[in-house]
């Protein structure tokens, strides 16, 4: 069946994983960080083009100072490991660290810059978006602000250029796919302010009971099967939607062409 091009994951359950095993919370986060590259490998094997993971919400700043410091140290170490990862470089994965990075300690910001620079040349490969100090609402606000500046500077037409496409989330290159499948582990059925714009179209939501460090290839396949089952039911409606959107784009291009001829 069809494979989702863009999979987004809310990696939830690290602390409960540690509690159920009598471990410290920090150990749960370590196990969760190890799981990420494993899931990336599965995603690439399945043919997923873009994987976005919710690593740290701005709401997580409300946790204890000790836990937040541990998360920052872990993030810095893991981002540096990604910069030299065999999986990342063998498969030409471009890593993007997205969010309010100015809120993070200098060490994490430097590690984020290093991994993005190390993988920037992988422009035609799959994408891994690590969303850190991120919320979907702030993402939408930044996109709206960017469009407002473009209109004010005259680089965007307020009628033809301000569409859903310029406000696409996750900083991806133009034409990158919207979210097809969102997975949340741990049994919670909340979006927690993750990629609100990206999932607002046709994303299939899959909530699974498994804790993130226990997430298995079988769980991944189940989520993809959930997407395939939904895609089969909605294929006709989606085809009509895509055809209508293509017609609207063609009409917009024709209108611009006529205006350009009149101006000439």
């Amino acid at each position: 069946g069809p494979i989702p091009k863009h999979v987004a994951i809310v990696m939830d359950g690290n602390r409960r994983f540690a509690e159920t095993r009598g471990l410290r919370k920090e150990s749960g986060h370590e196990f969760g960080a190890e799981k990420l590259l494993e899931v990336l490998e599965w995603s690439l094997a399945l043919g997923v083009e873009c994987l976005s993971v919710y690593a740290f919400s701005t709401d997580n700043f409300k946790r204890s100072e000790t836990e937040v410091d541990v998360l920052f140290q872990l993030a810095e170490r893991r981002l540096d490991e990604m910069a030299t990862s065999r999986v990342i470089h063998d498969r030409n994965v471009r890593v993007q660290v997205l969010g309010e990075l100015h809120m993070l300690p200098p060490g994490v910001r430097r590690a984020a810059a290093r991994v993005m620079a190390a993988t920037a040349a992988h422009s035609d490969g799959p994408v891994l978006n690590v969303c850190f100090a991120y919320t979907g609402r702030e993402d939408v606000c930044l996109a709206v602000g960017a469009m407002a500046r473009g209109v004010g500077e005259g680089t965007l037409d307020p009628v033809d250029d301000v569409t859903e496409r310029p406000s696409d989330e996750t900083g991806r290159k133009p034409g990158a796919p919207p979210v097809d499948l969102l997975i949340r582990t741990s049994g919670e059925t909340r979006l927690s302010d993750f990629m609100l714009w990206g999932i607002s179209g046709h994303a299939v939501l899959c909530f699974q009971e498994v804790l993130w460090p226990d997430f298995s290839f079988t769980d991944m396949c189940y989520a993809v099967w959930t997407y395939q089952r939904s895609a089969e039911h909605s294929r006709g409606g989606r085809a009509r939607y895509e055809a209508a959107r293509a017609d609207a784009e063609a009409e917009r291009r024709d209108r611009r062409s006529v205006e350009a001829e009149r101006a000439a």
Side-chain angles (χ1 to χ4, degrees), residues 51-106:
L51 176 66
S52 297
V53 295
Y54 208 0
F56 188 89
S57 166
T58 51
D59 287 340
N60 292 149
F61 281 107
K62 299 174 184 177
R63 295 182 180 180
S64 71
E65 184 177 350
T66 300
E67 184 178 0
V68 171
D69 286 343
V70 167
L71 286 169
F72 288 156
Q73 294 169 18
L74 178 61
E76 183 175 348
R77 186 169 73 252
R78 291 296 183 174
L79 289 172
D80 276 334
E81 290 173 1
M82 282 185 190
T84 58
S85 166
R86 174 191 57 80
V87 175
I88 297 291
H89 289 283
D90 285 355
R91 298 299 297 272
N92 281 341
V93 177
R94 180 162 56 98
V95 180
Q96 299 186 127
V97 185
L98 308 170
E100 300 299 290
L101 303 189
H102 64 275
M103 300 174 68
L104 302 175

Side-chain angles (χ1 to χ4, degrees), residues 19-230:
E19 290 171 5
T20 58
R21 288 161 175 77
L23 303 173
R24 295 179 303 137
K25 293 177 182 178
E26 293 80 1
S27 298
H29 294 309
E30 286 278 2
F31 279 106
E34 289 179 7
K35 180 62 62 175
L36 174 54
L37 280 183
E38 193 174 8
V39 173
L40 174 63
E41 288 192 84
W42 300 341
S43 300
L44 296 174
L46 289 168
V48 174
E49 297 176 5
C50 182
L51 176 66
S52 297
V53 295
Y54 208 0
F56 188 89
S57 166
T58 51
D59 287 340
N60 292 149
F61 281 107
K62 299 174 184 177
R63 295 182 180 180
S64 71
E65 184 177 350
T66 300
E67 184 178 0
V68 171
D69 286 343
V70 167
L71 286 169
F72 288 156
Q73 294 169 18
L74 178 61
E76 183 175 348
R77 186 169 73 252
R78 291 296 183 174
L79 289 172
D80 276 334
E81 290 173 1
M82 282 185 190
T84 58
S85 166
R86 174 191 57 80
V87 175
I88 297 291
H89 289 283
D90 285 355
R91 298 299 297 272
N92 281 341
V93 177
R94 180 162 56 98
V95 180
Q96 299 186 127
V97 185
L98 308 170
E100 300 299 290
L101 303 189
H102 64 275
M103 300 174 68
L104 302 175
V108 181
R109 294 201 302 269
R110 287 193 293 267
R114 284 192 291 268
V115 70
M116 288 191 284
T119 63
H122 303 165
S123 57
D124 296 324
V127 176
L128 170 62
N129 290 317
V130 180
C131 298
F132 212 95
Y134 170 95
T135 63
R137 284 173 294 178
E138 183 63 22
D139 212 4
V140 172
C141 288
L142 289 172
V144 172
M147 287 190 290
R149 286 192 298 275
V151 171
E153 294 166 358
T155 58
L156 284 180
D157 184 278
V159 176
D160 292 334
D161 293 333
V162 179
T163 69
E164 62 183 84
R165 293 181 184 275
S167 57
D168 194 16
E169 284 178 305
T170 72
R172 301 188 307 273
K173 58 186 178 181
V179 177
D180 296 310
L181 171 65
L182 181 136
I183 303 168
R184 179 166 187 154
T185 56
S186 86
E188 295 288 346
T189 55
R190 295 175 287 112
L191 298 177
S192 294
D193 208 355
F194 185 43
M195 303 193 69
L196 301 180
W197 181 266
I199 66 172
S200 63
H202 299 286
V204 173
L205 310 183
C206 182
F207 301 106
Q208 296 183 299
E209 294 289 337
V210 62
L211 302 176
W212 172 245
D214 285 327
F215 191 74
S216 69
F217 184 64
T218 301
D219 296 316
M220 184 75 178
C221 288
Y222 172 80
V224 172
W225 174 77
T226 301
Y227 165 79
Q228 292 175 336
R229 184 177 59 176
S230 177

